[in-house]
């Protein structure tokens, strides 16, 4: 919107109300602050929701793949042929055999439910989720001939175990004897303690070489499943459709949507609801701008009449008051962007400070799955928030602007 020199001058003066108009200035300031808080809150929450989903997706699929081929009865005997078929399927980037079984671990009288995962040594070392996540020790110490394991950091805390500790893992389905099934109990040395950042994994995972897991579970040469990664997880069902036909009755193909459908659907619904509710803050801010401009028009009715008698057109009045309102909104949007950037950058410190002040643990990993508050800002979402806020601000200026433009100078000056 192009303004003439005198229109810019008048708009600038109306943005800074004079004496006796402090209330108008306060309302305008509140309007600016409301836009700022609305924009900042929406961007921060959307970024946190995006980060939460991305972190969960990366870590869950990093440890469980985009899909798995599970053997019936927990055993997949023809796994080498299945791995080869999977690797030859277009769109598949990797196929990894593994064993995963819930068992029990004990140490110094403490017992915890654990999830034993057996992987080939090269797959352990090449896994991006585990890479560099060692708190103590090293994953390189997990070798086929070593009766040693890696455990999650929170599991280590719960058991009271550390590097070099000898923990016992019990397989209830042990050897059969004339007196019944005897549980199989094997001791392993803790070679490394890792922390992937997902609470449920860090409190339960026991990682060991494939051969050790096969011996513990009496599987022989069988594995439990084959984990598959693709180049496009959103198209995993289409990519793996040819493979599913080739597998036949050898195993069951389950993708990440089936394994975690409730979790990701809940996140999607929560994201939409939260964004809708927070958008109401911006709408309220737009109404604040509307009310402040209406008060400004009432306070400046005589000035408007004088300007009209001096030659100012209806279009000039319209442009002036639209400029005043959109300027307040634009300043609020800019301030909101800055506030959102500061909050996102220092989000963990903010969470810690709020927890310190309130005395509450507001980010409990047991409830949130992740150890730290994540954030991932989508530029297109930020653009959408800015455009939405600007449009609402612009629409809020139209009623008072048209009212100012429709002022009849003859009627006003007659009664003034």
């Amino acid at each position: 919107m192009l303004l003439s020199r005198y229109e810019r001058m008048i708009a600038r003066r109306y943005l800074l109300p004079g004496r006796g108009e402090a209330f108008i200035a306060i309302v305008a300031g509140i309007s600016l602050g409301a836009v700022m808080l609305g924009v900042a809150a929406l961007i921060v929450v959307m970024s946190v929701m995006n980060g939460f989903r991305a972190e969960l997706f990366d870590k869950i699929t990093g440890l469980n793949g985009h899909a798995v081929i599970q053997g019936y009865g927990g055993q997949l005997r023809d796994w080498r042929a299945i791995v080869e078929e999977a690797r030859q399927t277009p769109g598949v980037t990797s196929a990894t055999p593994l064993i995963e079984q819930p068992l029990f671990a004990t140490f110094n009288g403490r017992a915890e439910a654990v999830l034993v995962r057996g992987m080939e040594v090269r797959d352990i070392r090449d896994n991006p989720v585990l890479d560099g996540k060692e708190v103590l020790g090293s994953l390189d110490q997990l070798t086929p001939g070593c009766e040693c394991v890696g455990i999650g950091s929170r599991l280590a805390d719960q058991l009271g175990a550390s590097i070099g500790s000898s923990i016992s893992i019990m397989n209830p389905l042990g050897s059969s004897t004339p007196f019944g099934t005897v549980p199989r109990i094997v001791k392993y040395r803790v070679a490394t303690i890792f922390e992937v950042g997902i609470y449920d994994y860090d409190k339960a995972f026991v990682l060991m070489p494939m051969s050790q897991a096969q011996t513990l579970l009496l599987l022989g040469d069988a594995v439990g499943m084959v984990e598959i990664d693709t180049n496009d997880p959103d198209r995993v069902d289409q990519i793996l459709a040819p493979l599913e036909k080739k597998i036949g009755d050898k195993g069951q193909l389950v993708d990440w949507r089936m394994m975690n459908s409730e979790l990701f659907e809940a996140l999607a619904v929560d994201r939409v609801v939260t964004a809708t509710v927070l958008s109401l803050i911006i709408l309220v801010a737009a109404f604040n701008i509307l009310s402040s401009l209406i008060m400004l028009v009432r306070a400046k009715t005589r000035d408007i009449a004088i300007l009209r008698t001096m030659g100012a057109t209806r279009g000039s009045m319209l442009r002036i008051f639209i400029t005043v309102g959109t300027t307040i909104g634009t300043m609020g949007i800019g301030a909101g962007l800055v506030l959102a950037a500061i909050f996102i950058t220092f989000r963990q410190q903010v969470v810690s400070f709020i927890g310190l002040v309130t005395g509450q643990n507001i980010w409990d990993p047991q409830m949130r799955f992740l150890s730290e508050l994540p954030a991932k800002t989508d530029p297109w979402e930020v653009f959408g928030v800015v455009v939405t806020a600007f449009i609402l601000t612009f629409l809020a200026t139209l009623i008072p602007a048209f009212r100012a433009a429709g002022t009849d100078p003859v009627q006003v000056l007659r009664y003034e």
Side-chain angles (χ1 to χ4, degrees), residues 5 18 30 44 46 53 119 125 153 209 238 266 274 285 287 309 322 333 353 371 405:
R5 184 176 178 182
I30 292 174
V44 169
M46 297 295 283
R53 185 186 186 280
M119 301 174 65
R125 294 174 181 173
S153 59
Q238 302 173 33
T274 303
F287 278 112
T309 58
I322 288 178
I333 292 170
F353 175 75
S371 300

PDB file of all heavy atoms in Angstrom, residues 5 18 30 44 46 53 119 125 153 209 238 266 274 285 287 309 322 333 353 371 405:
ATOM      1  N   ARG A   5       3.288  11.423   1.307  1.00  0.00           N
ATOM      2  CA  ARG A   5       4.113  11.917   2.409  1.00  0.00           C
ATOM      3  C   ARG A   5       3.277  12.328   3.603  1.00  0.00           C
ATOM      4  O   ARG A   5       3.583  11.998   4.744  1.00  0.00           O
ATOM      5  CB  ARG A   5       4.953  13.090   1.916  1.00  0.00           C
ATOM      6  CG  ARG A   5       5.923  13.614   2.960  1.00  0.00           C
ATOM      7  CD  ARG A   5       6.783  14.716   2.366  1.00  0.00           C
ATOM      8  NE  ARG A   5       7.688  15.254   3.370  1.00  0.00           N
ATOM      9  CZ  ARG A   5       8.531  16.254   3.123  1.00  0.00           C
ATOM     10  NH1 ARG A   5       8.584  16.802   1.911  1.00  0.00           N
ATOM     11  NH2 ARG A   5       9.322  16.701   4.085  1.00  0.00           N
ATOM     12  N   GLY A  18      -1.030  11.279  21.609  1.00  0.00           N
ATOM     13  CA  GLY A  18      -0.523  12.369  22.438  1.00  0.00           C
ATOM     14  C   GLY A  18      -1.123  12.378  23.825  1.00  0.00           C
ATOM     15  O   GLY A  18      -1.642  11.376  24.324  1.00  0.00           O
ATOM     16  N   ILE A  30      -1.137  -3.413  24.291  1.00  0.00           N
ATOM     17  CA  ILE A  30      -1.659  -4.747  24.618  1.00  0.00           C
ATOM     18  C   ILE A  30      -1.909  -5.538  23.335  1.00  0.00           C
ATOM     19  O   ILE A  30      -1.628  -6.740  23.265  1.00  0.00           O
ATOM     20  CB  ILE A  30      -2.948  -4.625  25.450  1.00  0.00           C
ATOM     21  CG1 ILE A  30      -2.623  -4.052  26.838  1.00  0.00           C
ATOM     22  CG2 ILE A  30      -3.639  -5.982  25.581  1.00  0.00           C
ATOM     23  CD1 ILE A  30      -3.847  -3.750  27.676  1.00  0.00           C
ATOM     24  N   VAL A  44       6.475 -21.810  18.540  1.00  0.00           N
ATOM     25  CA  VAL A  44       7.190 -22.655  19.498  1.00  0.00           C
ATOM     26  C   VAL A  44       6.514 -24.016  19.636  1.00  0.00           C
ATOM     27  O   VAL A  44       7.169 -25.068  19.583  1.00  0.00           O
ATOM     28  CB  VAL A  44       7.288 -21.957  20.874  1.00  0.00           C
ATOM     29  CG1 VAL A  44       7.776 -22.938  21.936  1.00  0.00           C
ATOM     30  CG2 VAL A  44       8.229 -20.764  20.792  1.00  0.00           C
ATOM     31  N   MET A  46       4.397 -25.532  17.565  1.00  0.00           N
ATOM     32  CA  MET A  46       4.491 -26.301  16.330  1.00  0.00           C
ATOM     33  C   MET A  46       5.894 -26.866  16.148  1.00  0.00           C
ATOM     34  O   MET A  46       6.069 -28.011  15.711  1.00  0.00           O
ATOM     35  CB  MET A  46       4.121 -25.422  15.131  1.00  0.00           C
ATOM     36  CG  MET A  46       2.687 -24.920  15.139  1.00  0.00           C
ATOM     37  SD  MET A  46       1.468 -26.230  14.992  1.00  0.00           S
ATOM     38  CE  MET A  46       1.589 -26.584  13.250  1.00  0.00           C
ATOM     39  N   ARG A  53       7.865 -35.401  17.124  1.00  0.00           N
ATOM     40  CA  ARG A  53       7.550 -36.465  16.169  1.00  0.00           C
ATOM     41  C   ARG A  53       8.805 -36.927  15.433  1.00  0.00           C
ATOM     42  O   ARG A  53       9.017 -38.132  15.233  1.00  0.00           O
ATOM     43  CB  ARG A  53       6.526 -35.965  15.146  1.00  0.00           C
ATOM     44  CG  ARG A  53       6.057 -37.054  14.179  1.00  0.00           C
ATOM     45  CD  ARG A  53       5.151 -36.493  13.098  1.00  0.00           C
ATOM     46  NE  ARG A  53       4.597 -37.539  12.262  1.00  0.00           N
ATOM     47  CZ  ARG A  53       5.250 -38.129  11.267  1.00  0.00           C
ATOM     48  NH1 ARG A  53       6.500 -37.773  10.997  1.00  0.00           N
ATOM     49  NH2 ARG A  53       4.678 -39.081  10.548  1.00  0.00           N
ATOM     50  N   MET A 119      22.177 -58.672  17.624  1.00  0.00           N
ATOM     51  CA  MET A 119      22.479 -58.171  16.279  1.00  0.00           C
ATOM     52  C   MET A 119      23.871 -58.622  15.874  1.00  0.00           C
ATOM     53  O   MET A 119      24.730 -58.877  16.744  1.00  0.00           O
ATOM     54  CB  MET A 119      22.399 -56.636  16.235  1.00  0.00           C
ATOM     55  CG  MET A 119      21.060 -56.056  16.630  1.00  0.00           C
ATOM     56  SD  MET A 119      21.084 -54.235  16.733  1.00  0.00           S
ATOM     57  CE  MET A 119      21.386 -53.804  15.021  1.00  0.00           C
ATOM     58  N   ARG A 125      27.702 -51.825  15.167  1.00  0.00           N
ATOM     59  CA  ARG A 125      28.645 -50.716  15.015  1.00  0.00           C
ATOM     60  C   ARG A 125      28.201 -49.715  13.959  1.00  0.00           C
ATOM     61  O   ARG A 125      28.569 -48.538  14.015  1.00  0.00           O
ATOM     62  CB  ARG A 125      30.024 -51.275  14.666  1.00  0.00           C
ATOM     63  CG  ARG A 125      30.619 -52.100  15.805  1.00  0.00           C
ATOM     64  CD  ARG A 125      31.912 -52.783  15.407  1.00  0.00           C
ATOM     65  NE  ARG A 125      32.436 -53.583  16.516  1.00  0.00           N
ATOM     66  CZ  ARG A 125      33.478 -54.402  16.412  1.00  0.00           C
ATOM     67  NH1 ARG A 125      34.113 -54.529  15.256  1.00  0.00           N
ATOM     68  NH2 ARG A 125      33.894 -55.092  17.463  1.00  0.00           N
ATOM     69  N   SER A 153      21.344 -46.763  29.881  1.00  0.00           N
ATOM     70  CA  SER A 153      21.813 -46.032  31.062  1.00  0.00           C
ATOM     71  C   SER A 153      20.839 -46.118  32.229  1.00  0.00           C
ATOM     72  O   SER A 153      21.244 -46.254  33.387  1.00  0.00           O
ATOM     73  CB  SER A 153      22.066 -44.568  30.694  1.00  0.00           C
ATOM     74  OG  SER A 153      20.875 -43.969  30.196  1.00  0.00           O
ATOM     75  N   PRO A 209      25.833 -59.559  20.850  1.00  0.00           N
ATOM     76  CA  PRO A 209      26.056 -60.135  19.522  1.00  0.00           C
ATOM     77  C   PRO A 209      25.025 -61.216  19.204  1.00  0.00           C
ATOM     78  O   PRO A 209      24.503 -61.867  20.102  1.00  0.00           O
ATOM     79  CB  PRO A 209      27.469 -60.721  19.625  1.00  0.00           C
ATOM     80  CG  PRO A 209      28.115 -59.959  20.731  1.00  0.00           C
ATOM     81  CD  PRO A 209      27.035 -59.653  21.698  1.00  0.00           C
ATOM     82  N   GLN A 238       4.073 -49.340  -0.275  1.00  0.00           N
ATOM     83  CA  GLN A 238       4.202 -49.522  -1.712  1.00  0.00           C
ATOM     84  C   GLN A 238       5.541 -50.158  -2.092  1.00  0.00           C
ATOM     85  O   GLN A 238       5.604 -51.023  -2.972  1.00  0.00           O
ATOM     86  CB  GLN A 238       4.051 -48.174  -2.427  1.00  0.00           C
ATOM     87  CG  GLN A 238       2.732 -47.461  -2.142  1.00  0.00           C
ATOM     88  CD  GLN A 238       2.696 -46.062  -2.730  1.00  0.00           C
ATOM     89  OE1 GLN A 238       3.272 -45.803  -3.782  1.00  0.00           O
ATOM     90  NE2 GLN A 238       2.014 -45.147  -2.050  1.00  0.00           N
ATOM     91  N   ALA A 266      -2.013 -40.146  17.600  1.00  0.00           N
ATOM     92  CA  ALA A 266      -2.270 -39.253  18.734  1.00  0.00           C
ATOM     93  C   ALA A 266      -1.477 -37.960  18.599  1.00  0.00           C
ATOM     94  O   ALA A 266      -1.987 -36.865  18.881  1.00  0.00           O
ATOM     95  CB  ALA A 266      -1.921 -39.957  20.042  1.00  0.00           C
ATOM     96  N   THR A 274      -3.859 -28.433  19.090  1.00  0.00           N
ATOM     97  CA  THR A 274      -3.038 -27.403  19.737  1.00  0.00           C
ATOM     98  C   THR A 274      -2.888 -26.182  18.842  1.00  0.00           C
ATOM     99  O   THR A 274      -3.004 -25.040  19.305  1.00  0.00           O
ATOM    100  CB  THR A 274      -1.653 -27.973  20.087  1.00  0.00           C
ATOM    101  OG1 THR A 274      -1.801 -29.117  20.919  1.00  0.00           O
ATOM    102  CG2 THR A 274      -0.814 -26.934  20.806  1.00  0.00           C
ATOM    103  N   ALA A 285      -5.949 -11.194  19.542  1.00  0.00           N
ATOM    104  CA  ALA A 285      -5.084 -10.034  19.320  1.00  0.00           C
ATOM    105  C   ALA A 285      -5.635  -9.153  18.205  1.00  0.00           C
ATOM    106  O   ALA A 285      -5.580  -7.914  18.284  1.00  0.00           O
ATOM    107  CB  ALA A 285      -3.669 -10.507  18.969  1.00  0.00           C
ATOM    108  N   PHE A 287      -8.769  -8.771  17.447  1.00  0.00           N
ATOM    109  CA  PHE A 287      -9.904  -8.027  18.020  1.00  0.00           C
ATOM    110  C   PHE A 287      -9.406  -6.872  18.893  1.00  0.00           C
ATOM    111  O   PHE A 287     -10.047  -5.815  18.958  1.00  0.00           O
ATOM    112  CB  PHE A 287     -10.792  -8.967  18.835  1.00  0.00           C
ATOM    113  CG  PHE A 287     -11.765  -9.740  17.995  1.00  0.00           C
ATOM    114  CD1 PHE A 287     -11.634 -11.108  17.841  1.00  0.00           C
ATOM    115  CD2 PHE A 287     -12.819  -9.095  17.352  1.00  0.00           C
ATOM    116  CE1 PHE A 287     -12.526 -11.822  17.057  1.00  0.00           C
ATOM    117  CE2 PHE A 287     -13.723  -9.808  16.570  1.00  0.00           C
ATOM    118  CZ  PHE A 287     -13.574 -11.180  16.420  1.00  0.00           C
ATOM    119  N   THR A 309     -11.908  18.499   5.242  1.00  0.00           N
ATOM    120  CA  THR A 309     -12.202  19.840   4.702  1.00  0.00           C
ATOM    121  C   THR A 309     -10.984  20.446   4.019  1.00  0.00           C
ATOM    122  O   THR A 309     -11.116  21.323   3.163  1.00  0.00           O
ATOM    123  CB  THR A 309     -12.661  20.780   5.820  1.00  0.00           C
ATOM    124  OG1 THR A 309     -11.654  20.858   6.824  1.00  0.00           O
ATOM    125  CG2 THR A 309     -13.955  20.275   6.449  1.00  0.00           C
ATOM    126  N   ILE A 322      -5.633   1.840   8.031  1.00  0.00           N
ATOM    127  CA  ILE A 322      -5.166   0.473   7.736  1.00  0.00           C
ATOM    128  C   ILE A 322      -3.675   0.360   8.031  1.00  0.00           C
ATOM    129  O   ILE A 322      -3.205  -0.637   8.590  1.00  0.00           O
ATOM    130  CB  ILE A 322      -5.463   0.100   6.264  1.00  0.00           C
ATOM    131  CG1 ILE A 322      -6.969  -0.118   6.067  1.00  0.00           C
ATOM    132  CG2 ILE A 322      -4.697  -1.160   5.856  1.00  0.00           C
ATOM    133  CD1 ILE A 322      -7.360  -0.431   4.635  1.00  0.00           C
ATOM    134  N   ILE A 333       4.142  -9.253  15.054  1.00  0.00           N
ATOM    135  CA  ILE A 333       4.620 -10.466  14.382  1.00  0.00           C
ATOM    136  C   ILE A 333       6.144 -10.553  14.448  1.00  0.00           C
ATOM    137  O   ILE A 333       6.709 -11.611  14.746  1.00  0.00           O
ATOM    138  CB  ILE A 333       4.137 -10.481  12.916  1.00  0.00           C
ATOM    139  CG1 ILE A 333       2.619 -10.658  12.861  1.00  0.00           C
ATOM    140  CG2 ILE A 333       4.827 -11.591  12.130  1.00  0.00           C
ATOM    141  CD1 ILE A 333       2.028 -10.439  11.476  1.00  0.00           C
ATOM    142  N   PHE A 353      14.476 -23.941  34.192  1.00  0.00           N
ATOM    143  CA  PHE A 353      14.161 -22.799  35.057  1.00  0.00           C
ATOM    144  C   PHE A 353      12.743 -22.905  35.603  1.00  0.00           C
ATOM    145  O   PHE A 353      12.510 -22.681  36.793  1.00  0.00           O
ATOM    146  CB  PHE A 353      14.332 -21.496  34.263  1.00  0.00           C
ATOM    147  CG  PHE A 353      13.926 -20.264  35.030  1.00  0.00           C
ATOM    148  CD1 PHE A 353      14.747 -19.764  36.029  1.00  0.00           C
ATOM    149  CD2 PHE A 353      12.728 -19.628  34.759  1.00  0.00           C
ATOM    150  CE1 PHE A 353      14.374 -18.623  36.744  1.00  0.00           C
ATOM    151  CE2 PHE A 353      12.353 -18.501  35.462  1.00  0.00           C
ATOM    152  CZ  PHE A 353      13.181 -17.998  36.460  1.00  0.00           C
ATOM    153  N   SER A 371      14.398 -37.860  26.429  1.00  0.00           N
ATOM    154  CA  SER A 371      15.126 -37.340  27.593  1.00  0.00           C
ATOM    155  C   SER A 371      15.122 -35.819  27.632  1.00  0.00           C
ATOM    156  O   SER A 371      15.189 -35.218  28.698  1.00  0.00           O
ATOM    157  CB  SER A 371      16.579 -37.852  27.567  1.00  0.00           C
ATOM    158  OG  SER A 371      16.599 -39.263  27.613  1.00  0.00           O
ATOM    159  N   ALA A 405     -13.106   6.674   7.114  1.00  0.00           N
ATOM    160  CA  ALA A 405     -13.268   7.199   5.751  1.00  0.00           C
ATOM    161  C   ALA A 405     -14.677   7.718   5.510  1.00  0.00           C
ATOM    162  O   ALA A 405     -14.896   8.631   4.697  1.00  0.00           O
ATOM    163  CB  ALA A 405     -12.935   6.106   4.738  1.00  0.00           C
TER     164      ALA A 405
END
